């Protein structure tokens, strides 16, 4: 659970080295998001960029879950999750600043990479962080109706909500085959996670369903909203955009620390219970958060959903070798469906992309 | 198991009333099989015919499984399965003759509907029946390596083998999206059948896998071969074609009776243990066998696979109301995948059909 919660809070970000090389490419909003079929160098560059950030996100997300299992084998979590989340936000903020500093040194301060901002630009930045906070609060209440394994199953509703909100809010078109692929992605991921006790998710009371749907909508909305914010100013340096996102991420996590772990932090200290693995996990979360942000800038939420879904399957496969996990038949079937979905998504591109 | 065995032996056939109305339409091989997009009355008629036979097959196959459950509630099978299979073949043969008799009365005996045949025409007819017999023999040996529930899962390999052999032997083209749909159909059907003990199918020894694959190939080959036989002479009356198929079906089932149930039949009589439900089941098997044959003549093996798969899902849903069965989460996920597969198969038609 902790891992999920921490993970959900970063749908925004910046990776130092990656940024270095991507920095000055004036990728337009549409060129970065849309079809690969448009010929031309710009599109080729955009395709390359998209592939790199997608791969980075997939690998980082996969190793994320593996670190969790690893840290669990080493014992129980002894640190407070809220301080870890805050540390992730702070680290991302720091990485954005370092990247910005290097950009300023090489290219000087320009309109696009200056840190100062207008109220108009920054006023929307707290919204994603706020949405995630509401969602995380709801998470405490949903467990009155749904247990943890059933919640893992219900979380796949995020896939559908992201697709629907992506269509409605960003007004991006998915072809019919891509919609079919999206339904398959959701069904495939759920199938891959089936276990003998999964069936009791069907006994979830109506309140549980309602809350799961609201949470999926909040999470989908936060993701799509972040994409909208980042893409609204395509020429703006991603590190500046991330810096402001992370500043509000830190703020809202500070609120969470005060609400949940104030006493513990006061008595035992902020970093109580941190181990080497905890530090590794924070580093990984920060980097994968940055990768998410890159995907938002140069690709889109649909790519994000696909890459985290594939990461989930990769994690399970790697866990077989690392931890001797057994793969179920349901996992093979779900993986097959997810693979076909990825294939269909790529062949099913709309004919005329706007 | 009995039901499956009986069912597998009829991939050929004729329905009295249906035949009446379809009798004299000179449907060409390609017109009946291929795309609905070709305009014209002929194509429209072929589409109508294809829909009717597909619907008939789906409904008959659904009710088949329901009759099985029903008969099981009434107690155990007391009749011998081989005699029931023989009765099904004999009934189909009789129905073909009745339909032919009425055709002769209304249209006279023509080159296309005469019962007499050449060695060249009839020589290939025993092959499907023989293939099914070999497959049914193998079924006794596979249970040394695989138990019955695992076998039900492995039977879904039939879907893939039918698709592959359909492509290789009949040289019919499926588009890439239709292939994707076919893989999804197999994964979806398997998912829908998952239960908590399904996982041990993964422990199937290599011999079990090999036999399951051989059986899938035999069954797929028999189906595709039957289609090839029936379509080779598109103007030939389907009842004549079925008559000869069923004659050999009877012969091979007679062999099976002698090998397996000779003593029982000799001591207790041929129809020992037959109940009203048994008679209903034989009637249903005969009619759905005839529907399969119609689908082979006016549509193809791919349509057959889709309609029997959808029938499997319909059966489960109807069983909820009839027998109070519970549907699993895996069933919902599998049904979703199958539905998307049906959709993709229909939108994914190859652009230029040969």
């Amino acid at each position: 659970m902790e891992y999920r919660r921490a993970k959900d809070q970063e749908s925004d970000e910046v990776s130092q080295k990656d940024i270095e090389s991507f920095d000055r490419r004036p990728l337009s909003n549409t060129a970065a998001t849309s079809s690969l079929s448009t010929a031309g160098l710009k599109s080729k560059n955009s395709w390359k960029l998209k592939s790199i950030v997608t791969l980075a996100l997939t690998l980082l997300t996969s190793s994320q879950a593996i670190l969790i299992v690893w840290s669990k084998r080493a014992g129980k979590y002894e640190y407070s999750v809220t301080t870890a989340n805050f540390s992730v936000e702070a680290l991302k903020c720091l990485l954005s600043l370092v990247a910005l500093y290097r950009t300023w040194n090489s290219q000087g301060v320009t309109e696009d990479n200056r840190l100062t901002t207008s109220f108009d630009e920054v006023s929307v930045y707290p919204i994603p962080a706020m949405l995630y906070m509401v969602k995380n609060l709801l998470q405490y209440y949903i467990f009155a109706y749904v247990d943890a394994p059933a919640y893992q199953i219900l979380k796949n509703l995020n896939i559908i909500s992201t697709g629907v909100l992506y269509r409605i809010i960003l007004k991006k078109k998915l072809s019919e085959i891509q919609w079919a692929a999206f339904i398959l992605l959701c069904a495939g991921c759920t199938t891959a996670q089936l276990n003998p006790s999964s069936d009791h998710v069907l006994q979830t009371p109506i309140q549980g369903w309602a809350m799961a749907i609201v949470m999926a909508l909040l999470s989908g909305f936060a993701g799509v909203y972040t994409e909208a914010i980042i893409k609204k100013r395509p020429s703006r340096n991603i590190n500046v955009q991330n810096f402001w996102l992370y500043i509000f991420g830190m703020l809202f996590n500070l609120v969470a620390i005060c609400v949940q772990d104030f006493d513990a932090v006061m008595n035992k200290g902020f970093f109580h219970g941190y181990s080497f693995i905890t530090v590794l996990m924070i580093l990984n979360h920060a980097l994968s958060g940055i990768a998410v942000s890159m995907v938002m800038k140069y690709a889109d939420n649909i790519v994000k959903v696909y890459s985290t879904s594939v990461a989930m399957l990769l994690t399970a496969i790697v866990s077989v070798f690392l931890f001797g996990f057994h793969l179920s038949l349901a996992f093979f079937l779900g993986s097959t469906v997810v693979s076909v979905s990825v294939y269909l998504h790529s062949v099913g591109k709309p004919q005329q992309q706007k």
Side-chain angles (χ1 to χ4, degrees), chain A:
Chain A
M1 273 345 320
E2 287 78 350
Y3 140 67
R4 290 282 178 176
R5 227 175 294 148
K7 193 179 143 201
D8 280 341
Q9 278 177 340
E10 326 130 21
S11 274
D12 24 275
E13 285 96 83
V14 193
S15 144
Q16 209 176 327
K17 278 184 193 160
D18 289 352
I19 280 120
E20 229 60 63
S21 50
F22 301 154
D23 232 353
R24 294 302 305 164
R25 298 188 194 180
L27 279 156
S28 82
N29 181 344
T30 39
T33 13
S34 70
S35 125
L36 311 178
S37 59
T38 338
L41 190 70
K42 193 172 167 188
S43 154
K44 209 174 172 188
N45 273 345
S46 130
W47 183 83
K48 209 170 150 191
L49 204 52
K50 203 167 149 177
S51 307
I52 293 171
V53 294
T54 307
L55 192 70
L57 178 60
T58 309
L59 294 180
L60 285 164
T61 314
S62 313
S63 49
Q64 218 169 70
I66 289 165
L67 280 174
I68 304 293
V69 181
W70 208 357
S71 75
K72 266 195 181 159
R73 279 159 63 101
K76 284 214 162 185
Y77 301 114
E78 305 232 312
Y79 58 91
S80 94
V81 178
T82 52
T83 65
N85 285 342
F86 179 86
S87 307
V88 168
E89 296 299 311
L91 182 57
K92 290 189 293 186
C93 213
L94 185 71
L95 289 173
S96 305
L97 279 177
V98 171
L100 270 176
Y101 180 76
R102 297 177 74 162
T103 309
W104 293 330
N105 273 350
S106 64
Q107 295 157 5
V109 178
T110 69
E111 184 69 14
D112 283 340
N113 69 21
R114 68 187 162 77
L115 203 57
T116 50
T117 177
S118 62
F119 176 76
D120 181 51
E121 183 181 358
V122 90
S123 60
V124 288
Y125 280 53
I127 294 175
M130 218 158 62
L131 288 170
Y132 282 122
M133 206 189 63
V134 175
K135 203 205 111 205
N136 290 339
L137 275 173
L138 267 182
Q139 214 158 27
Y140 290 96
Y141 297 103
I142 198 172
F143 287 116
Y145 306 105
V146 178
D147 62 7
Y151 178 65
Q152 288 302 318
I153 297 278
L154 289 174
K155 269 183 75 79
N156 291 304
L157 289 171
N158 281 2
I159 295 175
I160 299 296
S161 72
T162 302
V164 171
L165 292 167
Y166 175 83
R167 174 75 191 86
I168 295 175
I169 297 174
L170 296 177
K171 301 204 169 52
K172 298 278 177 57
K173 248 197 170 165
L174 289 177
S175 72
E176 280 169 11
I177 287 179
Q178 287 183 317
W179 275 115
F182 226 60
I183 296 169
L184 290 174
L185 184 67
C186 181
C189 285
T190 314
T191 303
Q193 294 171 335
L194 284 182
N195 61 55
S197 69
S198 300
D199 263 6
H200 70 251
V201 77
L202 297 174
Q203 271 95 58
T204 302
I206 189 82
Q207 299 97 321
W209 279 104
M211 288 175 79
I213 289 167
V214 168
M215 284 170 70
L217 286 173
L218 283 170
S219 165
F221 194 70
V224 170
Y225 203 87
T226 305
E227 184 179 339
I229 291 175
I230 290 181
K231 289 220 175 109
K232 198 185 170 188
R233 291 176 167 79
S235 63
R236 193 75 161 117
N237 190 300
I238 178 76
N239 297 316
V240 177
Q241 296 181 309
N242 280 339
F243 174 81
W244 287 106
L245 279 170
Y246 302 148
I247 284 289
F248 291 108
M250 284 167 72
L251 269 175
F252 282 101
N253 274 299
L254 213 53
V255 173
I257 294 176
C258 294
V259 173
Q260 285 173 50
D261 293 317
F262 189 77
D263 287 345
V265 169
M266 279 299 143
N267 295 332
K268 299 184 190 165
F270 192 89
F271 294 110
H272 175 81
Y274 277 48
S275 66
F276 176 64
I277 300 264
T278 317
V279 175
L280 265 186
M281 272 171 57
I282 288 172
L283 191 67
N284 178 296
H285 273 80
L287 291 177
S288 52
I290 284 165
V292 167
S293 183
M294 288 299 197
V295 167
M296 298 294 184
K297 181 94 179 173
Y298 303 114
D300 54 46
N301 265 286
I302 305 297
V303 168
K304 184 201 157 201
V305 166
Y306 271 100
S307 93
T308 47
S309 300
V310 170
M312 187 265 286
L313 303 182
L314 284 182
T315 303
I317 293 167
V318 172
S319 300
V320 171
F321 298 102
L322 287 186
F323 312 113
F325 279 16
H326 285 288
L327 295 180
S328 66
L329 178 58
F331 178 81
F332 287 112
L333 294 169
S335 306
T336 305
V337 173
V338 169
S339 307
V340 173
S341 165
V342 170
Y343 168 76
L344 288 171
H345 180 76
S346 74
V347 299
K349 293 208 175 60
Q351 294 299 306
Q352 12 23 339
Q353 188 101 23
K354 272 186 285 188

